[in-house]
Amino acid sequence: MSDDFGMVEPQEGEAFGDEWEEIDVTDDAADRIARRRDRDFDEFRIRMKDADQFKVEQSVFDDATFAAIYKLVQDGHISAFGGPISTGKEANVYEALGADETDVAVKIYRINASDFRHMRDYLEGDPRFESIGNDKGQVVRAWVRKEFANLERAQRAGVRVPSPIAVQRNVLVMELVGLVEDRARRLSEVNVENPDTAYEVAREYMRRLHRAGLVHGDLSEYNLIIHEGELVVIDLGQAVTVHHPNAEEFLRRDCRNIAKFFQRQGADADPDSLYEFVTADEATDEE
């Protein structure tokens, strides 16, 4: 494992974003395509269903999901679909080719299989989703749009995350970090040769997220990955704004998880000190 742990710097003059930004979760183009069901869409859906990599995964693909992929293809975000990178309880991730033949990851949330109550815990209290009702499909679509918005804000704050590219309904397209045959590794999977340096980067990323108005909410060695000597933060779907009623509880838990992991690796890490570092305001830094 590299001991570089490169740090992404914020762009000069860029605002981190307004934590009260509105996120539109009403019907989008994919929903309209699924309802219209024209001949071109039906042909596309049949081709996708007949593809070898999807024959055993029909639970992931309802008509609206096919419509979302169809719209992403029309918009040029996907030019060719590949096989699965990972399969999870709530979402599958596939490799694909995007614009200019670049490798991208396509994350598809299962609307019927997603943990509705788990998602509600993170959406309720977030001012961006006050109008979300109890419709399961709408909750999942809100979750995916939140993940896209959180990735955008984290990136503006100088946190290395997979670059978000596009979102439609329950489908998120983002940068593929590492090739499938040589995928990036989670910190839980590697031998951390320079834990003090890695810990400094992790805690700086946590502070940048906090100053951008976000708390990851599920940060641990399982969603920090290493790619080409650089730490990358993943899985920001559950990240909440600092105004969420459970934001402090989530942040305290993140601090415990990260500090305990790096303690086991031999770093000088402490949950309370980490919390103070993350929440210190910029005026304190300058003193």
Side-chain angles (χ1 to χ4, degrees):
M1 181 175 181
S2 169
D3 58 3
D4 293 338
F5 294 104
M7 179 78 75
V8 175
E9 293 301 327
Q11 297 296 311
E12 185 176 355
E14 277 196 342
F16 284 162
D18 179 5
E19 61 268 26
W20 301 100
E21 66 196 350
E22 292 185 4
I23 299 176
D24 184 9
V25 295
T26 56
D27 280 7
D28 57 19
D31 295 287
R32 292 189 289 274
I33 290 170
R35 285 195 296 270
R36 190 173 66 240
R37 292 288 300 274
D38 61 23
R39 185 179 65 184
D40 289 342
F41 168 59
D42 278 339
E43 290 177 354
F44 175 84
R45 181 174 57 84
I46 291 169
R47 288 200 311 272
M48 287 283 288
K49 280 191 173 183
D50 287 343
D52 288 340
Q53 64 263 41
F54 303 126
K55 285 181 178 176
V56 296
E57 301 177 52
Q58 295 302 314
S59 63
V60 181
F61 296 92
D62 59 11
D63 278 353
T65 299
F66 281 119
I69 298 170
Y70 179 69
K71 182 65 168 63
L72 290 164
V73 170
Q74 285 186 320
D75 291 344
H77 299 302
I78 300 173
S79 61
F81 222 89
I85 299 171
S86 65
T87 57
K89 183 175 65 175
E90 294 181 344
N92 285 9
V93 182
Y94 298 86
E95 64 173 324
L97 283 180
D100 302 321
E101 299 296 298
T102 55
D103 293 306
V104 298
V106 180
K107 189 173 186 177
I108 302 176
Y109 278 90
R110 296 181 180 87
I111 287 183
N112 292 329
S114 293
D115 189 340
F116 175 81
R117 293 186 182 87
H118 168 77
M119 290 179 171
R120 292 287 316 180
D121 289 344
Y122 288 93
L123 289 172
E124 288 178 351
D126 189 320
R128 298 174 294 179
F129 299 98
E130 289 180 346
S131 61
I132 296 297
N134 290 318
D135 178 78
K136 191 170 186 178
Q138 191 175 33
V139 168
V140 174
R141 291 195 297 272
W143 183 272
V144 180
R145 290 191 176 273
K146 181 163 81 89
E147 184 167 4
F148 183 86
N150 289 343
L151 286 169
E152 283 189 318
R153 192 188 304 190
Q155 191 171 56
R156 289 197 301 267
V159 178
R160 178 67 172 101
V161 296
S163 296
I165 296 171
V167 62
Q168 278 288 342
R169 202 174 180 267
N170 57 320
V171 181
L172 171 64
V173 182
M174 56 189 166
E175 171 194 4
L176 177 60
V177 180
L179 299 176
V180 175
E181 61 271 17
D182 185 27
R183 68 178 178 85
R185 301 286 175 178
R186 300 175 190 269
L187 279 189
S188 61
E189 299 175 312
V190 300
N191 176 34
V192 183
E193 295 176 358
N194 195 333
D196 287 312
T197 303
Y199 176 59
E200 287 299 313
V201 175
R203 72 177 195 149
E204 177 63 24
Y205 279 173
M206 292 176 69
R207 177 157 71 172
R208 289 182 183 184
L209 279 176
H210 192 267
R211 288 181 175 175
L214 288 177
V215 173
H216 187 285
D218 192 30
L219 195 60
S220 72
E221 65 270 28
Y222 298 101
N223 39 42
L224 282 170
I225 62 177
I226 181 72
H227 176 58
E228 296 182 346
E230 189 174 54
L231 279 182
V232 184
V233 183
I234 61 172
D235 297 337
L236 271 80
Q238 74 291 317
V240 300
T241 74
V242 294
H243 300 289
H244 190 283
N246 298 323
E248 182 173 358
E249 175 190 343
F250 293 158
L251 179 57
R252 292 276 187 186
R253 184 176 63 195
D254 286 352
C255 290
R256 287 195 300 272
N257 290 340
I258 293 300
K260 287 180 179 179
F261 171 75
F262 282 106
Q263 282 175 355
R264 294 194 299 271
Q265 300 296 315
D268 182 15
D270 172 74
D272 292 334
S273 298
L274 177 56
Y275 178 84
E276 291 175 6
F277 177 84
V278 170
T279 58
D281 57 34
E282 294 183 66
T284 303
D285 294 345
E286 297 170 359
E287 292 178 358

